[in-house]
Amino acid sequence: MTEHAVVIAGAGPTGLMLAGELALGGVDVAIVERRASQELAGSRAGGLQSRTIEVLDQRGIADRFLSEGQIAQVGAFASVKLDISDFPTRHPYGLGLWQNHIERILAGWVDELRVPIHRGREVTGFAQDHTGVDVQLSNGESLRAEYLVGCDGGRSVIRKTAGIEFPGWDPTMSSLIAEVEMTEQPELGVHRTAAGMYAFGKLEYEIRDGQIIYKDGGSIRVMVPEPHVGTTREPTLGDLSAALIAVCGTDYGLRSATSISRFTDMTRQAASYRDRRVLLAGDAAHVHSPVGGQGLNTGVQDAVNLGWKLAQVVGRTSPESLLDTYHAERHPITARVLRTTMAQVALLRTDERTRALGDIVTELLGMDEPRRTFAARMSGLDIHYDLGAGHPLLGRRMPDLDLVTANGPLRVFTLLHHARPVLLELGESGDFDIAPWADRVQSIDAEYHGTWELPALGVVPAPTAVLIRPDGYVAWVGERSHSGLVDALTRWFGAADAA
Ligand SMILES: Cc1cc2nc3c(=O)[nH]c(=O)nc-3n(C[C@H](O)[C@H](O)[C@H](O)COP(=O)(O)OP(=O)(O)OC[C@H]3O[C@@H](n4cnc5c(N)ncnc54)[C@H](O)[C@@H]3O)c2cc1C
């Protein structure tokens, strides 16, 4: 039986990101993917939030995405645009880029990191014991792993086989989304009518001065509500035509479709992200409406939170209990994403009373404080893991500061390219002997002369030292002393004698 330290089920955005993170952590990891190639039916996610771009920048790969997509103020809450151009980040924008491109670029990175992907095979089940997991594949083979991570999407076999509950809310709406050929040209853009919200667009577009300019020709992207919620069979061209006629009065001479799929606002979250040696991430752990564009981004953030922790546990520098912090940190963050998304679904209903409520929300979000709060939330820049009381940086993302070191200028994110923790010493806080952790934690002396400003929070007191986790979140803040640092190093990166 082939053995790996970690097997990931699913090479979607979450599985690919996790594989990259584990490979950087020196883990023998393999992916099992049902699809024969990375090709994706339908365009699905339309882009990346600011924090996701930052996370990719932390690994030195953001430019690969930026060079292919459209940088723009794409953030919105219930269709109310949220401008983040004044936010203190190197990426004060979102990126328009279809999921098939995001996956292709991630797969290229994972390939460079030499992660094997067993394509055209499904994980059909698994059995775990106290030393590992036997992973059964659809071709009759098995893989043995110390850990199995289910990144296998909303209908996750891993979640179901593990018997992990998936509580939440049944759908209240259902829409078809398709890429089609039509003989007539519908009016492109989003339309809100009493019959519901529908939209026409193109796969090829440019964003100029905040406006989407669709390219001439090419397939049309359609989104149209279905009359009934709860249909489970695969949608057909006939269903799409009927839905268009019901809402628009015509199907615009619908001729053919390269993809037709359905999405709903079903909202569910795994009760636990871990069952002993089995973990869940991405859509396998949470599903919700695509409104607000949070799903792919949330999955990538799950992967970046889990990757280094699992790498340390597999590498025996940290105890297994470190894995419990994955659920403890990510479950509440995503629970809030789910609530925020449900609120948007409700606000996008097209009856007059909801529209009146929507007008009030639009007015409120036009004010600076609510705009900053919601823009930080929707862009992922306000993620705050509860690491206890203390300096405002604790548990928040480390800003990508321009540092000055004895060797010249240095960006903080450059220090994170290899997914290794960093102790950044910025002042005179006395000597600290990092030697017991020197094999795991980089220690950098630097100067920084600017202000410390966090999105939505504003300026915070300058620390004299910070301990940064590989996912870019601050694990400890020094204010003229090293008090608490040994505890933080031990808690996050293992005991002094663990290596
Ligand atoms: C219409 C639409 C628009 C969206 N827009 C956005 C957006 O703008 N922004 C955003 O952030 N998100 C958006 N999303 C959500 C986003 O597409 C998902 O959240 C994202 O794809 C989740 O990634 P994942 O890797 O967790 O799961 P998936 O992308 O579902 O990947 C799961 C992978 O596992 C494979 N797999 C499944 N079962 C098995 C098995 N048993 N064995 C092996 N492999 C298996 C699948 O083939 C697939 O490759 C949208 C979704 C839809 C439907």
Side-chain angles (χ1 to χ4, degrees):
M1 196 187 304
T2 311
E3 294 195 9
H4 296 284
V6 177
V7 167
I8 296 172
T14 308
L16 291 169
M17 191 72 209
L18 179 62
E21 294 292 290
L22 288 168
L24 286 177
V27 175
D28 166 18
V29 52
I31 308 182
V32 180
E33 166 56 47
R34 172 194 286 157
R35 288 179 280 161
S37 76
Q38 202 61 49
E39 215 146 285
L40 196 62
S43 38
R44 295 187 76 178
L48 302 175
Q49 303 161 345
S50 173
R51 179 59 187 153
T52 310
I53 302 169
E54 282 196 342
V55 156
L56 297 167
D57 205 359
Q58 289 176 180
R59 299 297 177 254
I61 57 172
D63 287 343
R64 302 181 187 196
F65 298 83
L66 295 172
S67 63
E68 290 204 29
Q70 304 276 328
I71 287 172
Q73 294 303 326
V74 291
F77 178 83
S79 293
V80 183
K81 287 235 161 81
L82 295 168
D83 194 315
I84 60 166
S85 51
D86 60 341
F87 272 21
T89 161
R90 217 173 279 275
H91 304 288
Y93 42 71
L95 183 74
L97 184 65
W98 295 114
Q99 182 163 341
N100 53 346
H101 299 302
I102 296 171
E103 290 194 12
R104 173 177 48 76
I105 299 168
L106 280 175
W109 177 58
V110 163
D111 196 43
E112 285 164 24
L113 294 168
R114 303 194 179 285
V115 176
I117 305 185
H118 305 285
R119 293 192 185 275
R121 262 165 264 185
E122 264 178 53
V123 174
T124 52
F126 65 83
Q128 62 170 318
D129 53 51
H130 65 281
T131 60
V133 190
D134 287 328
V135 184
Q136 288 122 33
L137 308 189
S138 49
N139 64 354
E141 287 175 10
S142 293
L143 299 173
R144 176 79 181 169
E146 286 178 49
Y147 288 90
L148 168 66
V149 190
C151 299
D152 51 340
R155 294 176 188 158
S156 171
V157 166
I158 309 300
R159 185 189 67 236
K160 290 175 189 164
T161 309
I164 295 174
E165 297 278 307
F166 202 37
W169 296 269
D170 289 335
T172 63
M173 55 73 67
S174 180
S175 285
L176 298 178
I177 189 152
E179 279 152 38
V180 302
E181 302 294 327
M182 293 169 151
T183 46
E184 296 159 42
Q185 167 83 39
E187 193 186 330
L188 301 180
V190 179
H191 308 271
R192 292 181 81 178
T193 68
M197 200 169 90
Y198 62 96
F200 297 101
K202 297 263 185 86
L203 278 182
E204 302 274 321
Y205 65 88
E206 264 182 60
I207 303 178
R208 275 187 238 139
D209 299 330
Q211 298 300 317
I212 296 181
I213 315 286
Y214 294 108
K215 299 247 168 94
D216 289 338
S219 308
I220 291 175
R221 198 168 184 260
V222 181
M223 187 199 78
V224 61
E226 284 193 294
H228 305 291
V229 178
T231 314
T232 49
R233 64 173 175 73
E234 289 300 312
T236 62
L237 198 63
D239 295 329
L240 183 62
S241 169
L244 281 166
I245 291 169
V247 177
C248 315
T250 169
D251 70 0
Y252 297 96
L254 178 67
R255 279 202 310 250
S256 59
T258 46
S259 73
I260 309 178
S261 57
R262 173 182 290 116
F263 72 83
T264 74
D265 65 336
M266 182 169 73
T267 307
R268 297 188 179 279
Q269 187 174 20
S272 173
Y273 283 14
R274 176 177 172 220
D275 172 34
R276 292 163 290 158
R277 292 183 169 274
V278 176
L279 296 121
L280 300 176
D283 277 17
H286 39 76
V287 293
H288 56 78
S289 160
V291 164
Q294 300 283 311
L296 182 152
N297 289 279
T298 306
V300 169
Q301 305 290 346
D302 286 348
V304 174
N305 185 286
L306 175 60
W308 65 276
K309 295 174 181 173
L310 189 51
Q312 288 180 190
V313 171
V314 166
R316 311 274 187 270
T317 52
S318 288
E320 239 196 330
S321 57
L322 183 65
L323 295 177
D324 293 330
T325 68
Y326 167 59
H327 173 99
E329 292 178 0
R330 291 303 302 166
H331 194 278
I333 296 289
T334 305
R336 196 181 68 170
V337 169
L338 264 47
R339 304 286 306 175
T340 308
T341 306
M342 287 200 296
Q344 292 179 83
V345 170
L347 280 167
L348 288 172
R349 291 187 182 129
T350 53
D351 62 281
E352 280 309 318
R353 284 170 178 78
T354 309
R355 294 181 92 148
L357 179 61
D359 290 344
I360 287 170
V361 170
T362 305
E363 206 177 319
L364 284 171
L365 291 178
M367 298 173 190
D368 200 46
E369 172 87 39
R371 191 263 311 170
R372 277 193 281 126
T373 302
F374 276 80
R377 186 174 300 184
M378 299 307 290
S379 60
L381 289 169
D382 76 340
I383 292 172
H384 179 207
Y385 299 133
D386 183 4
L387 305 190
H391 190 283
L393 272 168
L394 191 63
R396 290 198 166 87
R397 70 184 245 302
M398 176 68 191
D400 185 20
L401 307 178
D402 286 307
L403 305 172
V404 180
T405 71
N407 297 327
L410 181 67
R411 280 175 54 188
V412 168
F413 283 8
T414 306
L415 291 166
L416 294 169
H417 281 187
H418 299 289
R420 289 187 61 211
V422 184
L423 175 63
L424 189 58
E425 298 275 8
L426 293 153
E428 284 138 38
S429 22
D431 284 338
F432 178 79
D433 182 11
I434 188 82
W437 288 273
D439 57 324
R440 283 159 270 166
V441 181
Q442 310 166 72
S443 180
I444 303 289
D445 286 318
E447 288 178 24
Y448 173 66
H449 302 292
T451 50
W452 289 72
E453 191 184 352
L454 297 180
L457 283 190
V459 174
V460 299
T464 52
V466 277
L467 180 64
I468 311 165
R469 308 191 318 189
D471 57 0
Y473 289 84
V474 175
W476 169 87
V477 182
E479 292 171 281
R480 305 201 185 288
S481 91
H482 287 110
S483 158
L485 178 56
V486 167
D487 286 350
L489 283 163
T490 308
R491 176 179 177 196
W492 295 111
F493 309 119
D497 57 0

